[in-house]
């Protein structure tokens, strides 16, 4: 059965973590909102689904995944559901739970990265909260990026199966998500990311290894991969990466 991913069609955002898992596994899926409206796609279809009064368990916001009669929202929950089905959750219950914990930590970093450019209100323009954003971004660059990446470095180095993967000796969705996190940090905070990655070589090596995987490489070179832009989570403002 074809998975249906519902997410905003013009940004990577939180949906990109799900896209990467589906692409790396070679799964059959459709990115619904990126279809033309004539085929049931577009942002209007996404909005209609979110606002449908007949849905008993409504999604709060994209991304959400539909698999037959099952609807799963929230990035980490979607990956928890997909992981075992795509062979991306390690071996056994313990690996699956550890992979989920890693994903939740990545979600924490992503939320903090978003708040660097919208530290006061998500409903206000960046320009209206620039001063607060500069202050918030400084703390994120100097304290939070190193803290998070150093922790992932420790996880990799303490992995009994070796430092090539976060969980055991196989690719998991946590590896793919850490790759995407590094990609986003390099885009939004190129100077700060370079400093942090210089001190976390195992994280950088994992990123490079994931990028070389054939399906990931092909996806990154395809039109299915949306470019980073200033509407997504990771946004490049020079004053925030001083």
């Amino acid at each position: 059965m074809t998975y249906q991913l519902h997410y905003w069609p013009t940004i990577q955002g939180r949906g990109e973590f799900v896209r990467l898992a589906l692409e790396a596994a070679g799964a059959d899926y459709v990115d619904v909102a990126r279809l033309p409206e004539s085929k049931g796609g577009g942002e209007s279809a996404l909005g209609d689904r979110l606002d449908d009064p007949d849905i008993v368990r409504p999604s709060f916001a994209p991304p959400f995944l539909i698999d037959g009669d099952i609807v799963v929202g929230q990035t980490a929950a979607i990956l928890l559901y997909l992981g075992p089905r795509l062979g991306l959750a390690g071996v056994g219950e313990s690996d699956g739970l550890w992979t989920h914990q890693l994903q939740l930590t990545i979600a924490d970093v992503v939320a903090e990265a978003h708040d660097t450019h919208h530290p006061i209100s998500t409903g206000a323009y960046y320009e209206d909260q620039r001063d607060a954003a500069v202050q918030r971004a400084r703390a994120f660059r100097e304290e939070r990026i190193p803290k998070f990446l150093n922790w992932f470095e420790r996880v990799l180095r303490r992995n009994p199966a070796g430092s090539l993967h976060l969980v055991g000796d196989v690719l998991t969705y946590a590896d793919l998500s850490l790759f995407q996190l590094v990609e986003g940090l390099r885009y939004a905070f190129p100077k700060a990311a370079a400093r942090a990655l210089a001190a976390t070589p195992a994280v950088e090596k994992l990123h490079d290894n994931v990028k070389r995987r054939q399906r990931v490489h092909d996806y990154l070179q395809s039109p299915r991969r949306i470019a980073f832009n200033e509407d997504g989570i990771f946004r490049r403002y020079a004053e925030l990466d001083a």
Side-chain angles (χ1 to χ4, degrees), residues 98-99 101-103 105-106 147-168 172 174-175 178 200 202-203 206:
W98 181 227
T99 305
Q101 290 173 70
L102 293 165
Q103 185 65 41
T105 305
I106 291 170
K147 182 171 184 175
F148 279 115
L149 292 190
N150 284 335
W151 182 76
F152 283 112
E153 181 80 7
R154 292 199 302 274
V155 170
L156 286 165
R157 293 191 177 278
R158 294 180 189 181
N159 182 358
S163 61
L164 295 181
H165 296 285
L166 287 165
V167 183
T172 65
D175 294 329
L178 183 55
T200 53
V203 171
L206 179 146

Side-chain angles (χ1 to χ4, degrees), residues 23-241:
E23 291 282 350
D28 187 11
Y29 82 101
V30 58
D31 204 339
V32 177
R34 299 189 71 188
L35 294 173
E37 291 188 2
S38 61
K39 294 185 177 181
E43 287 194 22
S44 59
L46 181 58
D48 290 344
R49 172 83 192 188
L50 291 171
D51 296 335
D52 188 341
D54 295 326
I55 294 178
V56 177
R57 296 178 176 177
S59 299
F60 177 73
F64 55 91
L65 181 92
I66 299 179
D67 180 21
D69 294 331
I70 295 175
V71 181
V72 188
Q74 298 287 355
T75 301
I78 295 170
L79 292 171
L80 179 66
Y81 175 78
L82 284 176
R85 291 165 173 80
L86 300 180
L88 293 173
V91 180
E93 183 179 27
S94 179
D95 279 4
L97 286 171
W98 181 227
T99 305
H100 182 51
Q101 290 173 70
L102 293 165
Q103 185 65 41
L104 289 171
T105 305
I106 291 170
D108 289 341
V109 195
V110 170
E112 291 194 25
H114 172 273
D115 288 350
T116 60
H117 51 77
H118 278 75
I120 297 175
S121 171
T122 58
Y125 290 110
Y126 166 71
E127 290 74 16
D128 296 330
Q129 48 195 318
R130 188 195 307 265
D131 291 344
V134 169
Q135 184 175 354
R136 183 68 171 266
R138 182 184 303 114
F140 184 67
R141 292 194 315 269
E142 296 177 359
E143 302 169 16
R144 305 301 285 170
I145 292 177
K147 182 171 184 175
F148 279 115
L149 292 190
N150 284 335
W151 182 76
F152 283 112
E153 181 80 7
R154 292 199 302 274
V155 170
L156 286 165
R157 293 191 177 278
R158 294 180 189 181
N159 182 358
S163 61
L164 295 181
H165 296 285
L166 287 165
V167 183
D169 60 356
V170 295
L171 181 74
T172 65
Y173 63 79
D175 294 329
L176 295 162
S177 292
L178 183 55
F179 160 81
Q180 175 64 10
L181 175 63
V182 171
E183 287 280 293
L185 292 175
R186 280 179 164 172
Y187 175 79
F189 305 97
K191 296 177 184 177
R195 291 192 296 269
L197 288 168
T200 53
V203 171
E204 186 168 37
K205 185 174 182 179
L206 179 146
H207 166 275
D208 295 346
N209 287 341
V210 168
K211 191 172 186 176
R212 283 194 292 266
R213 296 184 72 92
Q214 191 62 55
R215 285 174 176 161
V216 174
H217 173 270
D218 291 348
Y219 169 62
L220 296 177
Q221 300 302 313
S222 77
R224 298 189 303 281
R225 172 73 165 186
I226 301 168
F228 284 106
N229 58 61
E230 276 53 65
D231 292 321
I233 291 173
F234 297 102
R235 305 185 187 186
R236 179 176 291 175
Y237 297 111
E239 61 270 27
L240 301 189
D241 189 38

